[in-house]
Amino acid sequence: METAKMYQLPKLKYDYDAPAPVISEDLLRLHHDKRHAAYVNGANTILQMMNKSREDQADVDTRATFQELSFHIGGHLLHSLLWEHQQTA
Ligand SMILES: [Fe+2]
């Protein structure tokens, strides 16, 4: 069985200080490098767990798993949209 594709933290297409003063460099680093990265890592951790459960033919709590996965993927997609449409100086 094919394994799920993992998510990746996208690189910004501009410098961290480019959107200032709309968003400061420190705040952009926090949201991109920490928070967005946490959503990506969280989604990938769940996907890896799901892959392992398939390999082991082990049961998972699908409701809780998909709820948590959608939370992380949602955070990843919303941050990706913001980075794509962020105004820069
Ligand atoms: Fe954020």
Side-chain angles (χ1 to χ4, degrees):
M1 179 176 284
E2 190 172 325
T3 57
K5 179 182 167 197
M6 296 292 125
Y7 290 92
Q8 291 187 328
L9 182 66
K11 290 186 189 297
L12 296 180
K13 296 177 181 173
Y14 41 83
D15 293 334
Y16 283 96
D17 62 352
V22 174
I23 181 170
S24 71
E25 179 177 349
D26 288 347
L27 198 56
L28 182 54
R29 286 185 184 280
L30 172 70
H31 279 268
H32 182 265
D33 297 355
K34 303 287 187 203
R35 294 187 181 170
H36 190 169
Y39 287 121
V40 169
N41 293 334
N44 288 337
T45 297
I46 295 166
L47 292 174
Q48 289 167 343
M49 181 272 294
M50 292 170 67
N51 285 337
K52 179 148 179 32
S53 74
R54 273 194 292 273
E55 290 169 5
D56 298 346
Q57 297 185 345
D59 289 335
V60 295
D61 181 341
T62 52
R63 182 182 173 94
T65 300
F66 286 130
Q67 192 171 24
E68 191 175 357
L69 183 60
S70 68
F71 170 79
H72 289 291
I73 291 174
H76 166 55
L77 294 178
L78 290 171
H79 278 87
S80 295
L81 279 172
L82 177 61
W83 309 147
E84 191 66 31
H85 297 283
Q86 179 65 55
Q87 297 280 329
T88 56

